Amino acid sequence: MATFKIEGGHLLSGTITPQGAKNEALQVICATLLTSEPVTISNIPNIRDVNNLIQLLKDVGVKVCSEKSGTYTFQADQLNMEFLESDKFVEKCSQLRGSVLMIGPLLARMGKAIIAKPGGDKIGRRRLDTHFLGFQKLGAKFRQLAERDVYEIFAKSQKSKANSLKGTYMLLDEASVTGTANIIMAAVLAEGTTTIYNAACEPYIQQLCHMLNRMGADICGIGSNLLTIKGGSLLHGTNHRLLPDMIEVGSFIGMAAMCGNGVRIKDCSLDNLGIIPDAFRRLGVKIEVDGDDLFIPHQKHYVVDSFIDGTIMTLADAPWPGLTPDLLSVLIVVATQARGSVLFHQKMFESRLFFVDRLIDMGAQIILCDPHRAVVVGHDRKVKLRASRMSSPDIRAGIALLIAAMSANGTSIISNIEQIDRGYENIEARLNALGAKIERIN
């Protein structure tokens, strides 16, 4: 297990470029299973979760070659169905959250998939009902294999043909991003028209739809919560480039606010950041827009806004175009040094706020009201956080703790940084280039 040793108090300055989007990568890499032709994807981040998914595709028979750093070509022309039904495949899926996105493509193309409980962050209940209900609407059936603790999902005819799934209308019980992506990938090869209402409409879902359309699919309503998919067409190869990772952009904004001396974030794809910059502005963080770049100047103080009626500022996660829950951890850390108070409401995951205990140990003024709400009373930089020894519980809390350590007095130790590696590429080297002092200890 590796750890980070962080010497706090060093100001960051310079330019940093965000990596390709992790969550988009997981979706579009799985979409390559829908065709036997080559699909080339560029700007793929070199991070643990993505690399593990690529290895899993290799294990199931997908030919994968890398032409240059960050660019991969996938060809799923000879899938190993024996391995796809093996205990080894189930075991690997149980260790990787992104493996759930293989179900839709495998069901659509092969007529069958094995479902294991996926791994990933331990941030609370992350149900898969939306996925299953969508597949059932398309005509799939489930069978529990109790002795292996897995489910087998198959088309009604149990034939490995695309037209064994039938297009239909469905109203999703929640706007699940992975659920929407999985259902879209199943529907593009289903016979007839599928209408998905209450679909997630995040930029990464839009990117998936655009890629599938270039492959020969017919998806309308992209960018809205009402998608219409005319299925049944064979898909062919294409080229696709990932967007920059909006969560990494937000993480860098938080770092620049807490311990920056003028930081430029390059090539952010501003049109796809949604409300993220405004969420930081509500904490008083100054953000200047320069083309497709963001510049965060040094601020001696940043003051939390209040609502028009004077009530305390509240930041809550919500489906797109609302605030992504993946950035609440970073916003909480930034608020610890603001002037003013903020109520954070994490609606989606009941365990994601528990990391604030580490911040309280570092001297932050935070009241954890319940598993979903926390009030942060900012220090206005009058009292700096103090160094601490801690462990990263998940990807986003891990990067938030790293930001806290970089701004703190003294030297901090963060263990279990493999969690951070799952979502952030070569993070210590990139931040050290800006002036941080982070050492990885294996």
Side-chain angles (χ1 to χ4, degrees):
M1 182 180 291
T3 62
F4 277 152
K5 180 180 178 182
I6 306 104
E7 186 178 295
H10 295 276
L11 291 178
L12 309 182
S13 61
T15 298
I16 193 166
T17 303
Q19 67 189 27
K22 167 185 176 278
N23 291 337
E24 181 187 348
L26 299 177
Q27 294 175 27
V28 299
I29 288 172
C30 289
T32 65
L33 293 168
L34 289 165
T35 179
S36 61
E37 297 185 15
V39 177
T40 300
I41 304 173
S42 59
N43 202 29
I44 292 179
N46 180 18
I47 55 177
R48 186 181 294 265
D49 273 12
V50 171
N51 292 339
N52 287 345
L53 180 62
I54 292 174
Q55 182 58 53
L56 185 57
L57 262 63
K58 290 180 180 178
D59 292 340
V60 303
V62 179
K63 300 182 182 72
V64 182
C65 64
S66 180
E67 302 166 2
K68 59 181 180 179
S69 178
T71 299
Y72 290 82
T73 297
F74 303 84
Q75 187 167 10
D77 57 344
Q78 292 181 325
L79 297 182
N80 184 343
M81 287 304 297
E82 183 177 343
F83 181 79
L84 284 166
E85 298 177 5
S86 69
D87 290 338
K88 187 174 182 181
F89 174 70
V90 170
E91 180 184 359
K92 289 197 170 189
C93 288
S94 67
Q95 298 169 358
L96 176 63
R97 180 74 190 176
S99 65
V100 72
L101 289 160
M102 297 174 64
I103 300 172
L106 289 174
L107 179 65
R109 186 162 169 223
M110 312 306 293
K112 186 177 181 181
I114 298 291
I115 302 169
K117 186 177 180 180
D121 289 330
K122 306 304 180 185
I123 54 177
R125 187 173 59 97
R126 304 177 77 176
R127 62 187 182 89
L128 299 178
D129 298 59
T130 304
H131 305 241
F132 299 163
L133 292 171
F135 296 145
Q136 286 179 317
K137 286 279 190 179
L138 292 171
K141 287 186 175 182
F142 293 85
R143 178 169 59 210
Q144 184 177 16
L145 306 178
E147 69 280 4
R148 299 174 63 192
D149 194 26
V150 299
Y151 282 87
E152 183 182 59
I153 177 172
F154 51 90
K156 280 186 177 179
S157 65
Q158 299 192 51
K159 295 179 181 179
S160 299
K161 295 181 180 180
N163 62 10
S164 58
L165 298 177
K166 306 290 184 182
T168 187
Y169 169 85
M170 64 182 78
L171 173 61
L172 302 188
D173 63 332
E174 66 172 346
S176 164
V177 177
T178 53
T180 300
N182 237 341
I183 295 167
I184 290 170
M185 289 188 282
V188 292
L189 295 186
E191 181 182 342
T193 299
T194 299
T195 302
I196 308 173
Y197 196 24
N198 195 30
C201 52
E202 273 79 356
Y204 305 145
I205 290 288
Q206 298 175 39
Q207 284 282 95
L208 172 65
C209 291
H210 289 310
M211 172 178 155
L212 291 172
N213 277 351
R214 290 195 302 273
M215 293 170 68
D218 187 350
I219 305 173
C220 298
I222 299 173
S224 75
N225 67 347
L226 180 61
L227 295 175
T228 302
I229 304 166
K230 295 180 181 178
S233 300
L234 291 176
L235 300 187
H236 50 74
T238 190
N239 294 327
H240 181 78
R241 181 175 176 82
L242 302 182
L243 289 174
D245 194 308
M246 69 169 79
I247 311 304
E248 196 171 65
V249 172
S251 302
F252 293 153
I253 294 173
M255 292 175 189
M258 286 282 283
C259 43
N261 193 29
V263 174
R264 176 178 294 273
I265 309 170
K266 288 283 292 180
D267 302 327
C268 295
S269 189
L270 296 179
D271 292 342
N272 292 295
L273 291 182
I275 203 171
I276 290 172
D278 285 337
F280 284 95
R281 290 185 177 110
R282 287 190 165 190
L283 297 182
V285 178
K286 291 181 181 177
I287 303 175
E288 300 173 4
V289 176
D290 183 9
D292 210 27
D293 300 351
L294 294 177
F295 180 75
I296 296 84
H298 172 73
Q299 288 181 250
K300 189 174 181 180
H301 301 278
Y302 47 97
V303 182
V304 178
D305 283 346
S306 60
F307 289 114
I308 293 174
D309 62 0
T311 54
I312 185 173
M313 175 57 58
T314 300
L315 292 177
D317 59 333
W320 185 270
L323 180 61
T324 171
D326 284 346
L327 276 176
L328 280 188
S329 302
V330 173
L331 287 160
I332 287 171
V333 171
V334 174
T336 64
Q337 291 300 318
R339 180 187 299 166
S341 301
V342 192
L343 169 63
F344 290 93
H345 192 172
Q346 161 59 269
K347 300 175 183 177
M348 295 184 68
F349 305 112
E350 64 268 20
S351 302
R352 203 164 216 171
L353 292 184
F354 290 162
F355 87 101
V356 302
D357 287 346
R358 281 84 159 180
L359 298 179
I360 294 170
D361 290 341
M362 298 176 76
Q365 297 186 107
I366 302 176
I367 303 167
L368 186 60
C369 308
D370 55 46
H372 293 279
R373 295 177 301 161
V375 175
V376 181
V377 181
H379 282 308
D380 192 22
R381 297 197 193 273
K382 293 177 181 177
V383 179
K384 294 189 71 173
L385 299 179
R386 54 180 175 266
S388 181
R389 179 179 291 270
M390 44 204 160
S391 177
S392 171
D394 63 75
I395 302 175
R396 308 310 174 187
I399 202 69
L401 293 175
L402 179 59
I403 297 171
M406 290 164 60
S407 70
N409 278 327
T411 299
S412 297
I413 300 292
I414 302 178
S415 61
N416 196 28
I417 61 169
E418 288 82 4
Q419 289 285 357
I420 301 174
D421 291 337
R422 289 177 49 216
Y424 294 85
E425 179 180 340
N426 197 19
I427 189 65
E428 73 275 18
R430 296 161 71 199
L431 296 180
N432 286 343
L434 296 180
K437 194 166 183 181
I438 305 169
E439 181 184 357
R440 179 183 293 262
I441 303 172
N442 292 313

